[in-house]
Structure formats: structure tokens, C-alpha cells
């Protein structure tokens, strides 16, 4: 029987975290290619350190974009807000080593007269949903994201000019009878531009925003606060710690509350099932919970490179299912075409919608008018009910 009373912790990082700077640049390059050609192939990796950004990877698309990579990188860093000694959008050196996609990979992925488009790689992908938040996301990661998103909004609006771009949050929640009821600890480390600020000064700035973000009653007299526990945090971003695309895969997904297949998302076009099938798995899991078929659900998909159809579909509702998990698995295969082409077309993934996913989570976000976060829709509820 699943535990009902426990503590669980998840962390998030801000858009100014070194790894997230790299995710942002990689996804911005991807969006630039998809804007020019929706069927571009992109696998873009970014590395950042003191006053240096290096971009590399494999692409197949308009050559005009390659000539704009440096401009794209500088605009990302400028928008995040880095104008500090050691990492400044105007002064940093940018090197690009993008080159043509491997012909060996392309032959497995491309469609032909005798085959459908194949998966861009082998691998396993997981999707998860749970009814403990309105977004059907685990509460610790959902609210850890919300804290940092609020602080970024306050910083960029000018309401909190002393805060810097780099930040990390960590939230420990107490669960009672399987539901989150209390924040037992709140950890926040945030860069600050005034070197004279103490940890207490920083807490005075951020605490009202954190209290506003968390549900009423979660912060109590017993809640432990750890705000900038090491003291001064002035040197931030890639100047303080090197960054790399794809190093925050748990932050990007479910905060450790569900399994992860190991594949990163940012910088990859939607033929890469590391990304697109993980979105499809979340989409299916969320619709299963939204349909009332379970209160908690994990769904796994598995693929082989060059093969179009998934090798397996696995569902676990942790004993909360209204019908057998096997029946939900069969329904999942019926309600959506889970080939790479089927996923891309169903969710409209061949669009420049990825830069916005690079910070504050790929899941638990609102679908937007431009097609972003289409995998967060719950428009398969009726189809699931009919299939069951």
C-alpha cells in the first residue's frame, strides 16, 4: 500500500541558472530554424562559462540561421538580464560549431516510399500526472517553479531591482493522507546585485513573494527558512559556475516524483522522441487523470531508432485506477497515433514554441495561442472514456 504520510522535496532553478542559460540558447536556435523551415532537424548543445558561450551540434535546415547564431545567443543572455563583469551579453565571446546532420541518422529517421518516419533515437520516455494540484502536477516541483517565476517577474518589472538572474529554490512539503498540507522547509538561494545585502536582507525581499505564491496555510510557525544560507551571492550565472544544455532533466519534468527516461529536451527538434514522446506521455497521463480514470498515473513509451511505432506502452496508476491498467494501456494506443509523425502532427510540434519551455518546467504550464504547451491540453478526456 502506498504511503499516505511523508515528506517530499523538489528543487527548481531560474532562467539565469548557468544550465538554464544554455537550455535557453539551444531552444532559441531551434526556434529560429523552425521559423524558417518547420521540418528542420536540430540537435543543438550549448556550453557557457566566464564571458564565453560555445554552441555545437547537428542541423539540417536553412543556412541563413547559422549566420545568426551569435546574435541569437546574445539576445537570450540580454533578455535573461546578464550585464555583469564576467558575463555580459554584449561582451561575451560566442563560438558556433553547428554542422550538418549525420547521413546515417537521417536515413533512419526520414520517411520513404516503403517506410514511415522513424524515431530519432532509441530510448524510454515517461509521462506523469497526479491530482494534487489544478495543473495535475506534483505540488513540490509546481510551487518550486512558481516561486522562481514570481521572483523573475518582479526583477524584470523593476519591482525588485536588487535581485540578480541566478537563483535556485527547494521546497519540502508534508503530505497527510496523500495530500500536500504544509511546507516544512523553504530553501532559496538568489543572486543579489548589492554586495552589502545580508541573508536576512534578501529574505526580507523574497519572503512576501513566496508567501503570496504558496497556498494559504502551508507556511506555518514551524516552517524552516534557508535564504542564501551561505551568505553573499553576487557572482552568478556562467561566471560563477559553468553551464551546459540538458543538465536539469528532473527540474524540467516532475521534480523526482516520477521516473525519468534520462533524455534531455532542449535544443532537440520534435523528430527526437526524447522530447516529443515525453510530451506525448505527459499528454496521455494528464488526460487519463483528467478523465477520472485514476488520481495518479505514470505512462512509459519505448522506441527504437528508425522504427516508427513504439515498442511498448506501460501504465501504472498506483492502485488508484477505476479500471485495470491494462485497459488504460489499450485505450492510450487507440486515442493517439504514437509514431513520431503522429505525435508531431497531433500536438503541432513543428512550430517555434520551444524557447518558452527552457525554464520553469516543460509541464504544468498553460497552453498558449501560438501552440506552445499543447501537450497540457485535456482534450482527450472524451476519447479515453469512449475507448474504455
Amino acid at each position: 500500500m502506498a504511503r499516505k504520510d511523508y515528506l517530499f522535496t523538489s528543487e527548481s532553478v531560474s532562467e539565469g541558472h548557468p544550465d538554464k542559460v544554455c537550455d535557453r540558447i539551444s531552444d532559441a536556435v531551434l526556434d529560429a530554424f523552425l521559423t524558417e523551415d518547420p521540418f528542420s532537424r536540430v540537435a543543438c548543445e550549448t556550453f557557457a562559462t566566464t564571458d564565453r558561450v560555445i554552441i555545437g551540434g547537428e542541423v539540417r535546415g536553412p543556412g541563413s540561421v547559422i549566420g545568426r547564431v551569435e546574435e541569437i545567443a546574445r539576445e537570450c543572455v540580454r533578455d535573461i538580464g546578464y550585464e555583469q563583469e564576467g558575463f555580459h551579453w554584449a561582451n561575451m565571446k560566442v563560438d558556433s560549431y553547428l554542422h550538418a546532420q549525420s547521413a546515417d541518422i537521417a536515413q533512419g529517421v526520414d520517411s520513404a516510399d516503403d517506410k514511415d518516419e522513424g524515431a530519432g533515437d532509441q530510448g524510454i520516455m515517461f509521462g506523469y500526472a497526479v491530482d494534487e494540484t489544478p495543473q495535475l502536477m506534483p505540488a513540490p516541483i509546481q510551487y518550486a517553479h512558481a516561486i522562481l517565476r514570481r521572483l523573475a517577474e518582479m526583477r524584470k518589472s523593476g519591482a525588485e531591482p536588487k535581485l540578480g538572474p541566478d537563483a535556485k529554490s527547494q521546497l519540502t512539503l508534508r503530505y497527510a493522507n496523500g495530500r500536500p498540507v504544509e511546507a516544512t522547509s523553504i530553501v532559496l538561494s538568489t543572486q543579489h546585485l548589492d554586495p552589502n545585502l545580508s541573508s536576512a536582507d534578501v529574505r526580507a525581499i523574497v519572503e512576501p513573494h513566496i508567501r503570496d505564491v504558496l497556498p494559504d496555510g502551508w507556511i506555518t510557525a514551524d516552517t524552516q527558512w534557508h535564504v542564501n544560507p551561505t551568505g553573499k551571492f553576487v557572482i552568478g550565472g556562467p561566471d560563477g559556475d559553468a553551464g551546459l544544455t540538458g543538465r536539469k532533466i528532473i527540474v524540467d519534468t516532475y521534480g523526482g516524483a516520477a521516473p525519468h527516461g534520462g533524455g534531455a529536451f532542449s535544443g532537440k527538434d520534435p523528430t527526437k522522441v526524447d522530447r516529443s514522446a515525453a510530451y506525448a506521455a505527459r499528454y496521455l497521463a494528464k488526460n487519463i487523470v483528467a478523465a477520472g480514470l485514476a488520481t495518479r498515473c505514470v505512462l512509459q513509451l519505448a522506441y527504437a531508432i528508425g522504427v516508427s511505432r513504439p515498442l511498448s506502452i506501460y501504465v501504472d496508476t498506483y492502485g488508484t485506477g477505476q479500471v485495470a491498467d491494462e485497459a488504460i494501456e489499450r485505450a492510450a494506443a487507440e486515442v493517439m497515433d504514437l509514431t513520431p509523425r503522429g505525435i508531431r502532427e497531433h500536438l503541432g510540434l513543428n512550430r517555434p514554441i520551444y524557447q518558452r519551455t527552457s525554464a520553469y518546467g516543460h509541464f504544468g504550464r498553460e497552453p498558449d495561442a501560438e501552440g506552445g504547451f499543447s501537450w497540457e491540453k485535456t482534450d482527450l478526456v472524451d476519447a479515453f472514456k469512449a475507448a474504455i
Side-chain angles (χ1 to χ4, degrees):
M1 181 179 293
R3 293 178 63 189
K4 296 292 185 179
D5 303 294
Y6 56 91
L7 301 179
F8 195 83
T9 304
S10 293
E11 72 157 347
S12 179
V13 298
S14 73
E15 65 197 78
H17 184 280
D19 296 330
K20 283 290 147 197
V21 171
C22 294
D23 284 345
R24 171 75 175 271
I25 293 170
S26 292
D27 274 335
V29 171
L30 170 62
D31 280 353
F33 274 101
L34 293 177
T35 298
E36 297 293 327
D37 177 2
F39 299 99
S40 295
R41 297 283 171 78
V42 180
C44 177
E45 310 291 345
T46 302
F47 167 74
T49 186
T50 301
D51 264 343
R52 185 81 174 245
V53 169
I54 300 173
I55 301 164
E58 302 78 44
V59 299
R60 190 173 75 190
S64 59
V65 177
I66 293 178
R68 296 194 288 113
V69 166
E70 179 176 344
E71 173 191 343
I72 291 167
R74 292 189 189 281
E75 175 55 29
C76 288
V77 175
R78 186 198 65 78
D79 183 69
I80 290 168
Y82 278 115
E83 296 185 341
Q84 65 187 37
E85 184 179 356
F87 200 72
H88 192 297
W89 65 270
N91 302 330
M92 66 186 191
K93 183 178 181 182
V94 180
D95 294 317
S96 175
Y97 300 97
L98 294 174
H99 59 84
Q101 183 189 43
S102 163
D104 292 345
I105 293 176
Q107 71 178 353
V109 177
D110 291 347
S111 58
D113 293 339
D114 60 343
K115 67 181 284 290
D116 194 5
E117 178 182 297
D121 202 352
Q122 70 178 45
I124 56 175
M125 300 85 207
F126 287 93
Y128 182 70
V130 63
D131 71 348
E132 65 191 44
T133 62
Q135 299 84 7
L136 304 185
M137 282 287 288
I141 188 66
Q142 188 70 14
Y143 287 102
H145 287 322
I147 289 169
L148 294 182
R149 192 160 52 240
R150 172 65 65 86
L151 295 180
E153 290 167 355
M154 294 298 101
R155 172 177 62 85
K156 288 186 168 185
S157 72
E160 299 293 358
K162 295 181 179 180
L163 297 181
D166 195 355
K168 300 178 75 172
S169 65
Q170 185 171 287
L171 187 63
T172 300
L173 298 183
R174 180 173 68 85
Y175 283 71
N177 198 29
R179 313 301 292 183
V181 297
E182 177 189 5
T184 61
S185 69
I186 298 167
V187 182
L188 180 79
S189 294
T190 181
Q191 183 184 13
H192 51 95
L193 304 183
D194 182 347
N196 297 314
L197 292 182
S198 66
S199 296
D201 295 331
V202 174
R203 176 173 171 175
I205 293 171
V206 303
E207 183 172 342
H209 301 296
I210 295 173
R211 288 183 176 275
D212 191 44
V213 164
L214 296 185
D216 290 342
W218 278 19
I219 297 177
T220 72
D222 295 326
T223 300
Q224 299 178 45
W225 290 79
H226 301 280
V227 177
N228 282 19
T230 62
K232 187 168 67 172
F233 182 6
V234 175
I235 301 172
D239 186 33
D241 188 13
L244 195 66
T245 299
R247 280 205 300 204
K248 288 293 177 284
I249 58 177
I250 300 302
V251 171
D252 286 343
T253 53
Y254 308 103
H260 196 295
F265 300 156
S266 289
K268 296 178 181 177
D269 75 77
T271 67
K272 278 74 170 173
V273 286
D274 274 350
R275 184 170 217 161
S276 58
Y279 290 173
R282 160 64 178 173
Y283 178 56
L284 291 170
K286 185 175 183 180
N287 275 270
I288 289 164
V289 174
L293 299 175
T295 59
R296 182 183 177 201
C297 177
V298 67
L299 185 146
Q300 184 205 57
L301 299 172
Y303 291 85
I305 188 169
V307 179
S308 60
R309 299 223 165 254
L311 307 181
S312 65
I313 303 173
Y314 168 80
V315 167
D316 185 357
T317 59
Y318 303 91
T320 72
Q322 299 301 303
V323 297
D325 290 349
E326 295 88 340
I328 299 176
E329 288 170 356
R330 290 192 295 270
E334 291 178 25
V335 301
M336 185 178 182
D337 178 354
L338 290 169
T339 65
R341 182 197 299 274
I343 293 170
R344 288 191 297 103
E345 292 179 350
H346 189 112
L347 296 177
L349 299 182
N350 285 105
R351 290 183 278 191
I353 55 174
Y354 297 104
Q355 190 174 172
R356 69 199 73 174
T357 69
S358 61
Y360 314 119
H362 291 246
F363 308 127
R365 311 277 288 272
E366 286 296 317
D368 59 44
E370 292 76 36
F373 303 103
S374 58
W375 49 93
E376 291 297 310
K377 294 179 180 179
T378 53
D379 53 1
L380 288 183
V381 165
D382 291 340
F384 263 111
K385 290 179 178 178
I388 292 295

